[in-house]
Amino acid sequence: MRRAATTLFALALAAGVRIAAAPAQPALLDCAYEPNGGEMQTFTGCAWRDGQGRLHLASQHRARLTYDRFGLASVYVEGWYYLDRTGRAAAVVAFDNRADPFAEGLARATVGDKIGFIDGHLRMVVPARFDGAFPFEHGQAVVCVGCRAASDREHITYIGGSWGCIDRRGRFVTDLHAAKAYVACSPPD
């Protein structure tokens, strides 16, 4: 039997047939969250990424998350995420060692090294195209392009680049202009 299998394998290779290897098991990742409203705890091997890089949290851990009134919970897995009850996840900016809170119904979300904004349904409503962004206030958010993050070990801000203000649809309400640091948006009339 072994000789027959070896012969078939050799014939397949000679014919140019590709033989797929068994799929590798995804690497398990640690996560941290506040189970059932308790203290922050770290759990070993509770999450993994699929072939497209999407985050998955084991169902027994999803059941222990503390969900807000909108059905979202935050979890740390190599960065902060919001998850809904189905397990769909969106990576978000860290703020005060937690997931960025929603401001005016939107939270800063990350895709690669760019920042955009998600709504309470985890939909990207302002595409991730900024290098820096601050939360919405009075219907506008300060954003920057070409800036870089700077930290004082406790807080992160952005320096350099071009700055402007966007509305809730991601449209610029002020033109981008060079500035050394944060600029302020004018409240709408």
Side-chain angles (χ1 to χ4, degrees):
M1 180 75 158
R2 184 177 176 131
R3 184 179 173 130
T6 303
T7 303
L8 281 173
F9 182 74
L11 288 171
L13 284 177
V17 175
R18 292 183 182 235
I19 299 173
Q25 291 291 347
L28 294 178
L29 305 168
D30 295 346
C31 61
Y33 59 89
E34 298 168 343
N36 302 318
E39 295 293 318
M40 182 69 71
Q41 295 179 29
T42 300
F43 300 90
T44 303
C46 67
W48 67 93
R49 294 190 189 284
D50 64 20
Q52 286 75 41
R54 289 183 299 246
L55 180 71
H56 296 272
L57 193 69
S59 60
Q60 66 269 28
H61 289 280
R62 278 199 334 260
R64 297 179 67 204
L65 292 174
T66 303
Y67 293 93
D68 64 16
R69 68 179 197 253
F70 304 108
L72 298 178
S74 61
V75 62
Y76 184 88
V77 182
E78 300 177 325
W80 283 101
Y81 288 82
Y82 278 115
L83 272 77
D84 66 14
R85 292 183 190 277
T86 69
R88 198 165 51 110
V92 295
V93 170
F95 180 78
D96 280 345
N97 298 317
R98 300 281 185 189
D100 192 48
F102 283 82
E104 298 186 9
L106 302 176
R108 295 175 292 171
T110 58
V111 177
D113 60 352
K114 298 293 183 183
I115 300 172
F117 291 86
I118 57 170
D119 66 11
H121 300 285
L122 305 181
R123 294 180 298 220
M124 186 68 71
V125 295
V126 175
R129 65 182 194 265
F130 307 108
D131 296 310
F134 287 91
F136 272 85
E137 186 175 351
H138 305 296
Q140 298 179 1
V142 174
V143 297
C144 58
V145 176
C147 58
R148 62 181 173 78
S151 173
D152 64 5
R153 294 190 180 160
E154 187 172 346
H155 299 98
I156 293 177
T157 191
Y158 304 98
I159 56 175
S162 297
W163 294 75
C165 299
I166 60 168
D167 65 15
R168 295 175 51 81
R169 293 184 182 162
R171 297 177 301 201
F172 280 95
V173 294
T174 64
D175 292 332
L176 282 173
H177 62 280
K180 291 183 180 180
Y182 179 83
V183 298
C185 297
S186 300
D189 294 332

